[in-house]
Amino acid sequence: MIAIGLLVLCGLSVPAVQADSYQTLPANLPSHYGLVGVRVENRGVDSLYITQVHPEGPAAAAGLRVGDRIVAIPPYKLGTADELSRCVQSFAPGENTHIDILRDNQPKRVQIAITDVGHLYDLMGSEGRRPNPTARRHHRWDQQRSGAEELLWTLAQRYDAVTAFERLQQALQMETRRYGGDERLDDVHFLLNNPLKVDPFTRDLASSLDAAVDMRAYVDLALVHLDGDPRRARRSRLPHVPLTEEVLFATLSEAAARVDSAFAAIAPSERRHLLSTPPSLLARFAENGRLDEVEGAEYEAHKRALILAKKVDIDLLFSAALQVADLATALSVPQALTLPAGVPPALSSVGGSLLYARQTPLGWIIVGGTGANYYARDDILCIIDMGGDDVYVRSAADPSTASSGVYLCIDYGGSDRYIGRAGSAIGGVDLLVDHAGNDAYQGQEMAQGTSFCGVGLLWDRQGDDTYRSGRASQGCAFWGAGILVDSDGDDRYAIAQMGQGFGGARGFGLLADWRGSDTYTADHQAPSAYGITDQFSGWAQGVGCGFRGQSSGGMGVLYDREGNDRYQAGEFAQGLGYFFALGMLYDREGNDAYRGRRYAQGAAAHQAIGALVDAAGHDRYWAQTAAGQGAGWDASIGYLRDGSGDDSYRAEHLSQGAAAMNSWGLLIDEGGRDRYRAHSGQGQGGSTTYWGGRGAENAGGLIDLGDQPDAYGLPERRDDHAFKTPGIGIFLDR
């Protein structure tokens, strides 16, 4: 379906003209990027129906309804979605026209004025922060061209495509100006304006992740990429151990006060509304990636939540998180805490041996012994457990009713079970550190290192662990940071969708696994976003995603340092960017296997950046349906780079260095004996029908730099060969 848009001039309708007076739509109409705020679909020949009206768009104000049949924009008869799109685009925003429809078989003519994308999606242009593309790291990337960038410009010169490259870059720059820039991350803005800087960005971020050795480093890294102010967030570190109960409570109290200050710009009732919204908001998004497909109270509630989220002071949330992170680091060994003598009281919903328990205005502080303990209270501020096979139960109750916006849990040993929310923050700070044991984490939604207007961090330091959850989990964030770090062990990660490094609106979502052969799964649970039988949705494994039309997205990263890993996901996965967002999957070494569906493995759609980088190993890639393995769609940048190793690539359409609708798609393999198989792609620049082509082409490239013999499944692709196809499609095998 195609989205288009209108603005009403008056609420009157007049009789439509006779159908035999309509003309055929010309093939060479100009494009001025007009919009109308509707979605349409064909239901037979010359049978074009409205299926969606943007709730606040001008089409809704004009009185257009779902079920109306579009007949014409006089003098032109319209029979297909493409014809409607081209006709509306031919008007400049602000021009007047009218549309003829059939409603209940009665003809009507509605007078309208064309609008533009900035006015249609005006929520993206109000109240939030604007991108600043002059960050110090951006200057560093600008200083020199990377090897990949230098090679691409050399090929562009060889094939007389430099001007076409520049036009495409200008087309992406235009997209960053057409939409409002509220909450857009600086890195996303910079890369959309400088598409060939994706390579140094991925290398720089991977180096930063390698250097992160403690909780503070991860929180600092998230703050930098969310464009926070480190001067406002940073606070003095804690004194040296040992720590007393007074220092423990004072530190957590100060962090809780900073959380409250972060919400000072909104009223208590607004805070409750904001923090109670995620379940319905995520459920709506999970259906098809949008929030504007409903009208009435639900849409208004979601819109209000997005407006309120922009007012939360992220710097103060991170200030609180850094305070709690320093406390967790100071408590890295059991001997760090000194406790007063005494017998703790018995507590309901808490079982096992306790060494200490104190009720505070912010919740209980509990210290458990080395036996098997059970903790199932939601009014806990801090748990420190000395060891044993423990069970932690935290409900998904409305966080706005909790006594504190801060929670800290430290477990020193044992094979433990965490049920419900674990290291997940909704409107606050939630940190969980498990030092040893083969642990099991089980959640339903927003669990295991997840945040919404907060900072949630789960760090498991040792053991073969299992992570299972439903939606929005395992390193998932909206307006804040959601971080899951696993230091060691052969681990299993499984979710329904949205996670394993998912960055939503101004969110930094990270899953970082240091060692072990791991399995990541986000498939076979959520229905396909396209309604395809036996296909499934993923939105996981290094995904940055915005609410299309309502808010720019964030940054989602899955980073695996070593091990022979397995990645399986549904649609939209494995280094995927969607709507002014950035997604990255980076695997540093190991013989890995990737299996994804549509839009997977270094792919991007709708003004976004997606990157998959595998630095070493004999790897296997399989992307089903379309748009995979270095594929860009609609003013986006898709990038896949594989280092050394004998690799196998299997895909279907628009894959392996392919681009369409004014995008960049690039696959670079740096060495090894490789095999490529695809139905279409392999260095292809495709269609540009969206928005009249934006005055630019596409750039697709498949570049194999190894000196081993390789195999390709498409004509003309072979060893020691190079050529250019239409649309700046470049193939090179050295």
Side-chain angles (χ1 to χ4, degrees), residues 239-544:
H240 294 294
V241 293
L243 297 175
T244 65
E245 60 169 340
E246 288 79 10
V247 172
L248 180 66
F249 177 65
T251 302
L252 294 173
S253 297
E254 184 178 354
R258 292 176 189 168
V259 169
D260 283 339
S261 296
F263 291 87
I266 63 177
S269 61
E270 293 176 322
R271 183 175 178 180
R272 288 191 294 271
H273 171 79
L274 172 63
L275 301 184
S276 65
T277 302
S280 63
L281 187 149
L282 296 177
R284 174 57 58 189
F285 173 82
E287 290 188 3
N288 56 15
R290 302 184 70 103
L291 298 180
D292 59 356
E293 301 243 319
V294 295
E295 302 178 24
E298 181 184 353
Y299 176 78
E300 290 300 325
H302 293 162
K303 175 187 173 183
R304 183 183 177 201
L306 267 58
I307 292 172
L308 292 174
K310 295 180 183 182
K311 298 180 180 180
V312 177
D313 192 326
I314 286 182
D315 291 342
L316 292 181
L317 287 174
F318 274 82
S319 176
L322 288 168
Q323 193 81 1
V324 181
D326 284 346
L327 181 58
T329 300
L331 291 168
S332 58
V333 294
Q335 297 78 12
L337 180 65
T338 61
L339 298 172
V343 179
L347 298 176
S348 62
S349 302
V350 175
S353 174
L354 300 184
L355 304 180
Y356 174 85
R358 172 188 170 188
Q359 187 175 25
T360 77
L362 301 179
W364 284 90
I365 296 177
I366 300 174
V367 180
T370 56
N373 291 330
Y374 177 80
Y375 306 97
R377 298 177 67 106
D378 286 330
D379 60 345
I380 295 174
L381 174 65
C382 176
I383 297 176
I384 300 174
D385 189 275
M386 296 298 169
D389 299 339
D390 308 306
V391 177
Y392 299 83
V393 180
R394 296 188 66 203
S395 74
D398 182 356
S400 64
T401 64
S403 56
S404 168
V406 171
Y407 178 83
L408 173 65
C409 178
I410 298 176
D411 189 292
Y412 290 110
S415 296
D416 308 305
R417 290 183 63 204
Y418 297 88
I419 301 171
R421 291 188 294 128
S424 299
I426 302 177
V429 172
D430 191 320
L431 270 66
L432 163 62
V433 184
D434 188 293
H435 285 271
N438 300 324
D439 307 306
Y441 300 86
Q442 181 178 346
Q444 293 297 321
E445 183 174 80
M446 302 203 74
Q448 303 162 17
T450 293
S451 75
F452 185 94
C453 294
V455 178
L457 198 157
L458 189 167
W459 194 322
D460 190 295
R461 292 188 173 275
Q462 192 177 48
D464 299 332
D465 307 305
T466 300
Y467 303 85
R468 296 184 182 278
S469 190
R471 186 164 49 215
S473 298
Q474 299 174 10
C476 176
F478 301 84
W479 287 283
I483 301 171
L484 193 166
V485 181
D486 191 294
S487 301
D488 201 7
D490 298 334
D491 307 306
R492 301 293 179 266
Y493 303 89
I495 61 169
Q497 64 179 164
M498 274 190 286
Q500 297 177 357
F502 180 100
R506 209 185 172 192
F508 183 88
L510 169 67
L511 195 167
D513 190 292
W514 291 8
R515 288 178 293 275
S517 296
D518 309 303
T519 299
Y520 304 88
T521 305
D523 201 2
H524 294 284
Q525 295 191 55
S528 164
Y530 298 92
I532 302 174
T533 304
D534 297 328
Q535 294 283 319
F536 302 90
S537 175
W539 296 105
Q541 300 173 10
V543 171

Side-chain angles (χ1 to χ4, degrees), residues 527-705:
S528 164
Y530 298 92
I532 302 174
T533 304
D534 297 328
Q535 294 283 319
F536 302 90
S537 175
W539 296 105
Q541 300 173 10
V543 171
C545 180
F547 296 121
R548 191 173 175 192
Q550 276 69 51
S551 178
S552 297
M555 186 180 301
V557 180
L558 195 166
Y559 180 70
D560 191 294
R561 285 190 186 176
E562 62 181 65
N564 300 323
D565 307 307
R566 300 293 179 267
Y567 303 88
Q568 179 168 329
E571 300 158 345
F572 304 100
Q574 298 171 0
L576 182 279
Y578 189 92
F579 198 67
F580 291 106
L582 187 150
M584 183 180 91
L585 193 165
Y586 197 112
D587 190 295
R588 191 164 285 284
E589 63 179 73
N591 301 325
D592 309 306
Y594 302 87
R595 183 166 183 170
R597 301 182 190 269
R598 187 192 302 244
Y599 288 110
Q601 299 167 15
H606 309 305
Q607 301 89 8
I609 306 105
L612 191 162
V613 178
D614 191 297
H618 305 308
D619 308 306
R620 301 191 307 276
Y621 302 87
W622 184 11
Q624 296 177 279
T625 311
Q629 299 175 5
W633 176 274
D634 187 24
S636 293
I637 307 160
Y639 177 76
L640 191 159
R641 174 168 58 86
D642 188 284
S644 61
D646 299 336
D647 308 306
S648 171
Y649 301 88
R650 178 181 174 185
E652 296 184 17
H653 297 284
L654 194 74
S655 298
Q656 298 177 6
M661 312 308 168
N662 309 123
S663 294
W664 299 77
L666 182 64
L667 191 162
I668 298 177
D669 190 292
E670 297 178 350
R673 186 190 299 262
D674 307 309
R675 299 185 306 278
Y676 303 87
R677 175 184 170 188
H679 294 308
S680 68
Q682 295 187 353
Q684 175 191 21
S687 172
T688 59
T689 58
Y690 270 19
W691 300 109
R694 299 185 180 94
E697 297 179 279
N698 301 288
L702 193 163
I703 298 174
D704 190 295
L705 301 177

Side-chain angles (χ1 to χ4, degrees), residues 220 223-224 227-235 315 319 322:
D220 275 336
L223 179 64
V224 166
D227 311 317
D229 185 345
R231 295 168 298 180
R232 295 187 67 233
R234 201 169 302 281
R235 292 292 187 274
D315 291 342
S319 176
L322 288 168

